[in-house]
Amino acid sequence: MNKKVLYLLVALATGFTTSVAVAEAPTASAVKQSSPELLAALSSLQDQVRGEAQLTPAELSKVTALVLKDARQLGTDATTCAKAFELVELYETRIGPLFMNAATKGGFPRTATSGLELHYALFAIQQALLDFAYTPENLEKRAAMLTGKSFKTAEYFPGKVTAPSDPSQGYDIQINASQPEAWGFPVAFQDVPARRPTGCYLAPGSISTVTVPPALVGKGFTIRVGAQSWDLAKKPKIKRLDRVSLVFPITRSVTPIANPLGGGIYIEVPYKASAGLVSVKITNAVRSPFFSARSFSKTSMAEWKSTERLHPGPWADFESDKFMMQVPAAWIRDLEDPVTLMRDWDQSMDAVSELLGLPLLRPKTVLYMQNDVLYRGTANFPGYPMSNDPYNPDQLAMQKAGASARKNYMIRGPQFAPYTTFHELGHATSLTKFKGETESAVNVPFVAVLNRKFGVDLEQAFGRSLGNGEKMNLDQAALTWMVTDHFQQGKPMVAAEMMYQHRGHAKYVDIVKLFGWEALSAFWHSVQVDYSKGIEYPKNDDPTDSRILRMSKAAKADLTPLLYFWGIHPDKPEALQAQLAQAGLKPSGAIYDRLRHYQSIIPMNHDAYLAHFQTLHPAGSQTKEKPLDDYQERNGLMARQVVQDILSRYFPMGRP
């Protein structure tokens, strides 16, 4: 037996467990220097790749465990680091890069799978090198060793790019180095650093330098290399290295940066920074497509068509003062009109800000999106960046030209977005809600976007605010509520009846239909004003009576009967009515008419009920919903009586 293998197996006998986990992200904990065990493990893997050794699957798994245990040594010990890079290069030459060779193409399971043991080991080693070898200290003292070191899997993700022919060439880039304190109720990710694109891209194997003015030195500013910053270590399938983005603190005027995968170069601006517009210089980098619609720098259509969209970087940045995204550059090489695209995204951001009563210009963009190989969470999630639109790097070659390159809504415009994009942005806005509305009120922003900025009819916009809503309108939403036992028993609507269902946020659209968008904007603006005065309302459980009163003041009418119809019942009705009267808010004839209308459309027999059900779920449609078998005239009579009780309680004298 090879002596290195024998030595390694003796070391492994100490009891390392089989694992296909990855090394933890870097921490400040102390690490020991090079160990003979780790060097022997790397040597044995080299022999395995060359075909000079035949470790069993169990032995390979134990090697991986050892690599994970001592991963930080790849950053602290030059000999171990060099050995690991030699192994990666050998693996890529003999077997092929990760995610590009036959065994790992398309991704592979995180759970230990027979036959993949060697590939798990190389995955762990490459992740450890990226995590621990590329520190600011190492870029200073080991620049010669790290120069030219790259992972060929970068051709798969984040994408292929050639190093600049002239490493001394520099680019002067202007960025906004301020992120002032935000006004109003805190939104999600408000205090995280603002990411500013530079339009420069670091090629794998290169060491670039970023030169900044004194105002950015030692003030919490950082340089990020690689836009995809979400850690995917908990995903069940591995489709790229878990962590692919590196951050370098700006502690002096010139900062060297590197990443074996390459990546876009960004300046990250800390919360409450106030350095203003500054110029930074980046050398030994390539340009990537960057369309700027920022107030201080706008890319012209001519510049875009003749220059910007042709830059070789594999990712394209689009940024305005209100919206930002990164998409694969292959998608935009023939994109003709980014001016209209970004204007549309800006208008959609304005619709959200107007709805919430917030300034149109915020300290950083209202929404920041990007593509990645996987969802960043277990489902759609808000985020900075929001990363809910996976792409397949292997398919980019088929998406370089024509209509197929522009199927993704991100480069078509917000009017083509799935409802989930604005649903998650709704979560990120932290808008206040009645109890139970956590997954329903967040759909209102998309209604505002479609109706106010793109001329979509209010009820059609309401239908589109959730999936499969082509046949949905306020009448149909009301029917889905009035045919339930809870409504017929005069009970409030509960969270399970609101979440991901149109009837959950229909109350807000009804208010808009009767009183205009200004009624909602004025209400949520009052929430922002109150917060600035030290008055804070619970985000997901705004006290019912207080909220009804404040919403009514914003609408300049008593909204209680309309909200009662939609399942929001006052806690102390008499006290609330006294407060409404004191505020001079009177019953609304428009609400009276609306409730009479809803009363008139209640199905009074099973056939009428089925007509409603089949409108929403026509024959042949894919739905899990089942019609009620026992809906009869008595149900219709009970529902009518509930509406009549509301009318009698709040309109004792009839229509105002």
Side-chain angles (χ1 to χ4, degrees), residues 346-630:
D346 276 1
Q347 287 184 338
S348 71
M349 298 301 102
D350 286 349
V352 175
S353 295
E354 289 164 355
L355 176 65
L356 296 177
L358 287 169
L360 300 187
L361 289 177
R362 314 253 202 107
K364 58 173 168 279
T365 54
V366 178
L367 176 60
Y368 166 28
M369 299 193 300
Q370 65 181 203
N371 302 107
D372 203 339
V373 297
L374 292 166
Y375 286 85
R376 73 98 163 171
T378 54
N380 290 290
F381 274 83
Y384 186 88
M386 186 186 291
S387 183
N388 298 326
D389 296 280
Y391 83 110
N392 184 346
D394 290 326
Q395 293 180 350
L396 284 184
M398 298 183 291
Q399 298 173 333
K400 287 184 178 178
S404 63
R406 292 190 292 278
K407 287 183 178 180
N408 190 288
Y409 74 93
M410 292 168 68
I411 53 174
R412 295 177 67 201
Q415 61 270 52
F416 303 103
Y419 83 91
T420 50
T421 297
F422 286 92
H423 175 100
E424 298 306 331
L425 179 57
H427 281 300
T429 64
S430 301
L431 55 83
T432 57
K433 313 166 192 70
F434 285 111
K435 183 179 181 180
E437 287 188 328
T438 302
E439 295 293 347
S440 59
V442 294
N443 296 305
V444 178
F446 196 27
V447 184
V449 168
L450 293 172
N451 177 243
R452 301 192 80 178
K453 302 303 179 181
F454 297 102
V456 178
D457 173 79
L458 178 65
E459 300 225 17
Q460 290 180 350
F462 171 59
R464 287 179 57 184
S465 64
L466 278 174
N468 301 317
E470 295 83 2
K471 303 292 184 179
M472 181 60 74
N473 55 35
L474 284 169
D475 280 2
Q476 292 297 332
L479 287 169
T480 65
W481 172 224
M482 293 188 292
V483 300
T484 66
D485 290 340
H486 270 183
F487 182 85
Q488 293 161 25
Q489 295 165 7
K491 294 181 179 180
M493 190 183 294
V494 298
E497 294 169 314
M498 297 184 193
M499 60 193 307
Y500 307 111
Q501 297 168 78
H502 285 84
R503 63 192 177 196
H505 61 288
K507 64 181 80 68
Y508 295 102
V509 182
D510 235 348
I511 291 170
V512 171
K513 191 175 185 70
L514 299 179
F515 303 103
W517 282 106
E518 294 75 15
L520 294 186
S521 296
F523 164 66
W524 271 306
H525 180 71
S526 74
V527 173
Q528 316 296 348
V529 172
D530 283 349
Y531 183 83
S532 70
K533 296 177 180 178
I535 304 169
E536 183 174 352
Y537 306 103
K539 180 174 68 173
N540 294 322
D541 191 7
D542 196 351
T544 301
D545 291 0
S546 167
R547 186 176 177 86
I548 292 174
L549 176 62
R550 288 178 282 118
M551 290 180 69
S552 296
K553 288 180 178 179
K556 298 181 174 60
D558 180 1
L559 298 179
T560 312
L562 182 65
L563 294 172
Y564 196 106
F565 170 83
W566 286 110
I568 303 297
H569 296 185
D571 293 326
K572 297 180 179 179
E574 293 78 11
L576 175 59
Q577 286 304 300
Q579 290 177 303
L580 289 162
Q582 185 177 10
L585 297 169
K586 299 179 180 180
S588 163
I591 291 178
Y592 180 92
D593 293 342
R594 194 74 180 144
L595 297 183
R596 279 292 186 201
H597 169 72
Y598 286 143
Q599 188 181 43
S600 73
I601 65 173
I602 294 171
M604 295 307 295
N605 54 52
H606 194 255
D607 287 344
Y609 161 75
L610 283 179
H612 148 67
F613 182 86
Q614 290 166 0
T615 296
L616 297 181
H617 310 289
S621 64
Q622 295 182 346
T623 178
K624 296 180 180 179
E625 297 291 329
K626 301 295 182 184
L628 300 172
D629 293 328
D630 57 351

Side-chain angles (χ1 to χ4, degrees), residues 58-324:
E59 291 165 351
L60 283 168
S61 295
K62 289 183 177 181
V63 169
T64 303
L66 179 60
V67 170
L68 292 169
K69 174 178 175 290
D70 292 337
R72 287 178 176 80
Q73 290 185 22
L74 275 64
T76 59
D77 180 67
T79 302
T80 308
C81 182
K83 191 78 169 176
F85 274 117
E86 289 174 8
L87 171 59
V88 171
E89 184 177 3
L90 180 67
Y91 170 84
E92 292 176 334
T93 301
R94 294 290 185 94
I95 297 175
L98 279 173
F99 311 107
M100 297 173 69
N101 60 50
T104 61
K105 189 175 180 64
F108 52 101
R110 191 171 299 276
T111 303
T113 302
S114 178
L116 294 177
E117 293 83 5
L118 176 63
H119 308 289
Y120 286 127
L122 267 294
F123 173 81
I125 289 166
Q126 290 185 59
Q127 185 67 71
L129 282 168
L130 193 148
D131 284 344
F132 303 115
Y134 287 83
T135 63
E137 296 78 11
N138 284 348
L139 288 181
E140 290 289 340
K141 65 184 181 182
R142 296 179 189 156
M145 183 182 74
L146 293 175
T147 297
K149 294 296 189 296
S150 64
F151 298 157
K152 289 186 174 60
T153 187
E155 295 185 15
Y156 157 80
F157 179 90
K160 186 176 182 179
V161 66
T162 303
S165 57
D166 180 5
S168 66
Q169 183 173 0
Y171 300 98
D172 293 312
I173 309 295
Q174 192 175 38
I175 66 157
N176 176 8
S178 291
Q179 190 192 173
E181 185 173 5
W183 177 84
F185 195 92
V187 301
F189 316 107
Q190 178 170 292
D191 56 357
V192 304
R195 196 171 297 180
R196 310 298 193 197
T198 65
C200 291
Y201 196 94
L202 181 137
S206 298
I207 296 181
S208 299
T209 59
V210 180
T211 304
V212 303
L216 273 58
V217 177
K219 302 292 178 58
F221 290 84
T222 58
I223 304 161
R224 181 176 292 277
V225 182
Q228 281 75 15
S229 48
W230 289 108
D231 185 345
L232 302 184
K234 294 184 178 180
K235 305 299 286 186
K237 189 170 185 178
I238 300 171
K239 297 192 74 173
R240 64 160 169 81
L241 293 184
D242 291 329
R243 294 172 295 282
V244 297
S245 185
L246 292 175
V247 177
F248 299 88
I250 297 177
T251 58
R252 54 186 180 175
S253 60
V254 180
T255 303
I257 59 173
N259 185 322
L261 294 171
I265 301 172
Y266 303 85
I267 306 298
E268 296 198 320
V269 179
Y271 188 50
K272 299 184 182 180
S274 57
L277 296 180
V278 301
S279 181
V280 302
K281 186 170 186 176
I282 300 174
T283 58
N284 197 22
V286 299
R287 287 295 317 282
S288 55
F290 181 18
F291 184 84
S292 172
R294 300 167 296 178
S295 56
F296 61 89
S297 176
K298 296 184 183 295
T299 306
S300 70
M301 194 80 82
E303 289 171 330
W304 172 256
K305 291 182 178 181
S306 66
T307 305
E308 282 297 328
R309 66 179 177 178
L310 305 178
H311 286 313
W315 284 86
D317 290 291
F318 292 77
E319 184 190 23
S320 72
D321 297 326
K322 303 169 184 177
F323 173 78
M324 184 166 74

